[in-house]
Amino acid sequence: MAKNFHTDNKAFMLYKDWEDIFQALDSSEEIGELVMALFAYAKRGETPKLSGGTKIAFLMMRAAIERDGIAWEEMCAQRSECGKKGGRPKKSDESGNTDEKAEQTAASADNAEEKPQDINDTAEKPKAFSQTKRFSEKAKKADKDIDIDKDKDTDKDIDKDKDTEKEKEKDIDREKDTDVAKSVVKSFGTHKNIMLTSEQYNELESRCRSVGLSLESYISKLSQWLFTKGRHCTDPYRIISGWLDNDSKRKTAAKPKERQGCDLSWYDDFAMNFDLSKFF
């Protein structure tokens, strides 16, 4: 019977790269919900109803669990086929005989040498004859040992090549998981209505810090405006990026005497009176 990784496999893999995804979630409740969803899928194949960042993280992790489970099922199927065939076949010599037939042929040849014609079976055999037979038996055993060692070395080399290929595939999967983690969407703002990816947020924060502005102030004002107007913003990154470009140019062009230390009242007036309707 074919194996099913949902019911027959007793374990599933948790990757270290997933730590960043868990940390990106907003609360411990979402983390617990995600963990229980992973167990439900791994054990019973169930897909719970999730939303937001938790749903995106589950879909990514589910793909990895399914990939590992299919590989486990294929391995079990291969082992089952080998067991039905009786394991590894016996090695054949150049004449097509198996090891067992070769040993029988060698034994009959030895018996023929031990009992040559015109010699009484009860007669004592010469010492030179017995020594020659003993040396030939040692040589045969040595040849068999060499063949066995060669077979073992070949099997080890094949296993090493397979392990190397599996490691390369795991590295590629981990890189893909890291890229997906960067694209996880999180909610920001007072009303949690500003949706940005981690990569977008880090880029805007770096740009704001380089010119001495506050990204949180941009996000709060856009969040309050959307909430007041009852609207939904499909691309907040583009809007905040446009504000930041305008403020950076204005701040760079301002004369030293017109700057008043950390007074950002000019920015507050601009941000509060800026017409957002053209962006929607």
Side-chain angles (χ1 to χ4, degrees):
M1 182 180 293
K3 295 287 187 179
N4 187 309
F5 73 91
H6 289 298
T7 57
D8 298 325
N9 195 2
K10 296 182 179 180
F12 67 95
M13 184 74 71
L14 282 176
Y15 293 97
K16 294 181 180 179
D17 294 340
W18 291 357
E19 181 181 8
D20 297 334
I21 302 176
F22 281 107
Q23 292 178 350
L25 297 177
D26 293 331
S27 62
S28 300
E29 288 77 8
E30 291 185 351
I31 295 175
E33 187 178 3
L34 176 59
V35 172
M36 296 307 298
L38 293 176
F39 275 103
Y41 178 74
K43 292 181 65 177
R44 297 178 294 277
E46 299 175 357
T47 303
K49 294 182 179 180
L50 303 172
S51 61
T54 308
K55 182 177 181 180
I56 297 174
F58 171 75
L59 293 177
M60 181 184 64
M61 295 178 180
R62 184 186 67 177
I65 294 174
E66 184 175 2
R67 182 180 61 250
D68 295 341
I70 293 174
W72 180 83
E73 291 177 355
E74 293 176 352
M75 180 184 67
C76 292
Q78 291 177 358
R79 290 182 177 177
S80 178
E81 288 297 327
C82 292
K84 292 177 181 179
K85 294 179 180 179
R88 181 179 176 185
K90 294 184 178 180
K91 179 183 175 184
S92 300
D93 57 10
E94 295 180 355
S95 62
N97 297 325
T98 60
D99 290 341
E100 184 177 357
K101 292 182 179 180
E103 291 177 358
Q104 293 176 355
T105 304
S108 61
D110 292 341
N111 292 332
E113 291 179 357
E114 290 178 0
K115 296 181 179 180
Q117 294 180 355
D118 300 333
I119 297 178
N120 190 0
D121 294 340
T122 59
E124 184 179 358
K125 296 180 178 62
K127 293 182 179 180
F129 176 80
S130 60
Q131 291 176 355
T132 303
K133 178 184 175 183
R134 187 165 59 250
F135 289 143
S136 62
E137 291 176 351
K138 290 182 178 180
K140 291 178 182 178
K141 292 181 179 179
D143 292 338
K144 292 180 181 179
D145 294 338
I146 292 173
D147 292 337
I148 293 172
D149 292 338
K150 288 182 179 179
D151 293 338
K152 290 181 179 179
D153 293 338
T154 304
D155 293 340
K156 289 180 180 179
D157 293 337
I158 295 174
D159 293 338
K160 288 180 180 179
D161 293 338
K162 291 182 179 179
D163 293 339
T164 303
E165 292 177 358
K166 289 181 179 179
E167 289 296 331
K168 290 181 180 179
E169 292 178 356
K170 288 183 179 180
D171 291 338
I172 294 174
D173 293 336
R174 288 169 184 169
E175 291 178 359
K176 292 181 180 179
D177 294 342
T178 303
D179 294 337
V180 174
K182 291 182 180 179
S183 62
V184 174
V185 179
K186 295 183 64 176
S187 57
F188 299 91
T190 306
H191 303 284
K192 298 294 183 182
N193 54 356
I194 307 300
M195 308 304 293
L196 296 171
T197 64
S198 300
E199 190 173 3
Q200 290 175 340
Y201 182 87
N202 293 334
E203 179 188 348
L204 292 173
E205 185 179 30
S206 177
R207 291 169 58 188
C208 288
R209 188 166 50 250
S210 64
V211 294
L213 298 176
S214 173
L215 176 59
E216 295 298 331
S217 180
Y218 284 110
I219 293 176
S220 297
K221 292 184 184 300
L222 180 57
S223 176
Q224 183 63 33
W225 187 88
L226 293 173
F227 180 77
T228 303
K229 299 295 183 179
R231 296 185 180 182
H232 176 72
C233 181
T234 58
D235 193 0
Y237 170 79
R238 180 172 59 87
I239 296 175
I240 296 175
S241 180
W243 286 357
L244 180 57
D245 290 339
N246 293 334
D247 290 352
S248 299
K249 293 178 182 179
R250 178 177 297 185
K251 190 173 183 180
T252 304
K255 297 180 180 180
K257 62 180 181 180
E258 294 177 351
R259 298 182 182 179
Q260 300 178 0
C262 296
D263 184 13
L264 298 179
S265 58
W266 60 271
Y267 160 70
D268 293 333
D269 294 337
F270 170 77
M272 292 301 298
N273 298 323
F274 191 81
D275 185 10
L276 294 172
S277 60
K278 62 182 180 180
F279 291 98
F280 300 94

